Amino acid sequence: MTVTHSNAPARPFRWRAGAGRVLAGAALLTAVGVLPWLSGADPALTVLRARSADQDPTPEQLVAVREQLGLDEGPVAHLVRWLGGDAGASWVSGEAVLPQVTAALSVSLTLMLGALVVTLLVAALLCARTVFLGSRRRLGRDRAGTAAAVLAALPKFLLASLLATVCGVWWGWFPSSGWEGPQWMVLPSLALGIPSGAMIGGLLGQSLPAAFHEPWAQTAYASGMPPSYTARNALRRTLPGVLPQFLPTVVALVGGAVAVEKIFNIPGLGRLALDAAVAQDLPVLQTSTLALVLLGVAAGVLVRALRHGLLGRPLRDGALPGLHQPELAPRRSLRWVAGACALALLALGTAGLLRDPLHVDTAARLLPPSVAHPLGTDSLGRDLLARLGHGALRTAGVAFAVTAVSAVAGLLLGLVPRASAGLTEVVATLPAVLAGLLVAGVTGPSVWGAAGAVCLVGWTPYAAQTAALLEQERAGGHVAAAVSLGAGRAHLLRRHLLPAVVPALLRNALLRLPTTVLVLASLGFLGLGEQPPTPEWGRLLSENQPYVELAPWTVLGPAGALVVLAVLAVSGSTVLANSASRRTGE
């Protein structure tokens, strides 16, 4: 009887999730299919420029391209033909689409596997101390996870440039360009895997103390069970709550690794999709998007199967105890670290606001830090301190707004997992750059258009996390007891479900804050977001990235500011979590 009760909702859930995947995938592919007509630019002109870089084609040339590509037929005819199984040929190169996409996908999957290995190693290293102390009942203080915050805040394209320059060019340890064998994947795997591993490790490290303070862990310690037993089962207990974060991570390693692929000259799927979107090469773009959607759906199904396999019968039978953070004493230095970071950002903003961020002095190009220019100058001779200071409020304000909107949207959609599961998996496959192109086609390039594009895809990690934690909390005996005593939905949501979800969601959002800054910067760099010469931290990184080897101080300032912002965000989330835990205990 118990089995029937627990498994009965499974089939409707799978049916709804499958229908959601199909509908969301169809909507995404349709939106991509109308991109050349949605953008407002002449597709024939864009394709012709991509073919020959001819900036002033004749009307006869444009007419010939329209006839050749059938642009006068409209998007519906092209979409129907593509859905019929005809991937066609590239509008730009004339080559068959399927071999291009297949070759790029194989490269990206190989790179993804290497990056996942690095991700798991970095996450394991960051959690090793918590696992060691927790399995021996010696975890007495809350760790803010500042190391994870610092590594997660490292821009992937900046890390890729440093690795290519230092390990590839200066030391000659590994190849710095191309894709010809296993040794070519080492540096790009490190560039992609280190920040991703820090993200996963930071979330896992924040969840482990709750598992080590469960009654079974205390009983195991009192019974003399070895620490390895407690560590293994604590990881098994907490991994299901973190596994959904692998879905956006996997997609980012494939579709969002455009900058790293360009720096290392890797012919991957993300680079192919972006080039096709910029050139409005519809056949290549549609097939690349389909490959990303299928990859995301497969990853989502695999993650769900792993979660259910790790949690096992307690999840199916509704006998899973809830994970609740213990009241660990915060580190004495935590408030000092948070205060120092806040003062540093305040001093940076105040000092920069007293200078002119737009003054160009070609005689002072790429000057190192000095009394006149404390952070040096950029390639146009503009003062970097001034640009950092003037960009601080705009950068932090837009990033906080985007993060807040994405987190709230993810929370609301995650509360209805039966309706949003398929949608989450499909939207998570959409790279932010491609979303930016779709939004810019409607609203035009602007900072708020870029913010809307990031919100369009940025809610998926929070929705996946909310759905996973919600499923685990609903399987707890205390929820069943509350229902049997007559508790309504509002009471369950306020007293049980939201307290189990919101603290973890808040930590995830603050840990992803610097990543939001960098995604907004990448859209601005492509002309889809903040337009130059407006100072903005991510744009400063993008603009000065080519000068890393010649003038490293041009990127150290904005990169350091991002790291300080990340440490402040994580420290603040830990303080808030401790305060919320004390209020709940009262």
Side-chain angles (χ1 to χ4, degrees), residues 134-454:
S135 62
R136 290 160 175 79
R137 305 290 298 171
R138 291 161 53 188
L139 194 64
R141 291 191 175 275
D142 195 359
R143 301 182 66 234
T146 52
V150 170
L151 293 177
L154 290 177
K156 292 181 180 179
F157 62 85
L158 177 59
L159 184 58
S161 298
L162 291 174
L163 289 173
T165 301
V166 177
C167 300
V169 178
W170 291 355
W171 297 344
W173 288 353
F174 300 100
S176 60
S177 180
W179 187 264
E180 299 179 18
Q183 56 186 353
W184 272 264
M185 66 183 293
V186 174
L187 295 183
S189 295
L190 290 173
L192 291 170
I194 290 176
S196 299
M199 181 75 64
I200 299 297
L203 294 174
L204 184 59
Q206 293 285 351
S207 303
L208 280 168
F212 286 124
H213 281 74
E214 283 191 311
W216 69 263
Q218 300 175 13
T219 303
Y221 179 78
S223 302
M225 299 296 291
S228 59
Y229 171 85
T230 307
R232 183 171 63 253
N233 284 279
L235 288 171
R236 182 176 179 177
R237 182 68 180 89
T238 52
L239 273 175
V242 180
L243 274 177
Q245 302 305 305
F246 274 93
L247 177 58
T249 299
V250 167
V251 174
L253 295 179
V254 178
V258 180
V260 175
E261 289 177 353
K262 285 192 172 184
I263 291 172
F264 290 103
N265 194 25
I266 298 173
L269 186 62
R271 183 178 176 185
L272 179 67
L274 176 61
D275 292 342
V278 173
Q280 297 193 19
D281 192 350
L282 184 58
V284 176
L285 179 59
Q286 282 181 313
T287 308
S288 300
T289 304
L290 177 61
L292 288 173
V293 169
L294 294 177
L295 176 64
V297 170
V301 172
L302 178 60
V303 164
R304 182 172 179 81
L306 287 174
R307 286 187 61 250
H308 284 211
L310 287 171
L311 293 175
R313 291 189 61 182
L315 179 65
R316 296 192 298 269
D317 297 342
L320 190 68
L323 280 177
H324 301 285
Q325 289 293 329
E327 294 187 26
L328 298 178
R331 287 167 41 188
R332 296 186 181 92
S333 60
L334 182 60
R335 295 186 181 276
W336 290 101
V337 170
C341 291
L343 287 176
L345 291 176
L346 181 62
L348 176 70
T350 303
L353 289 174
L354 300 176
R355 298 167 176 260
D356 184 4
L358 303 179
H359 176 67
V360 176
D361 184 4
T362 55
R365 296 175 63 250
L366 300 177
L367 290 180
S370 62
V371 176
H373 304 285
L375 296 181
T377 61
D378 63 7
S379 59
L380 296 178
R382 295 174 296 191
D383 186 78
L384 285 174
L385 177 60
R387 295 185 65 75
L388 274 175
H390 281 265
L393 184 60
R394 176 179 290 267
T395 299
V398 175
F400 270 112
V402 169
T403 302
V405 171
S406 300
V408 171
L411 175 64
L412 295 177
L413 288 169
L415 290 175
V416 285
R418 295 185 179 184
S420 64
L423 179 65
T424 302
E425 293 173 4
V426 171
V427 176
T429 65
L430 183 64
V433 173
L434 184 54
L437 289 170
L438 292 173
V439 173
V442 178
T443 65
S446 66
V447 61
W448 295 114
V454 178

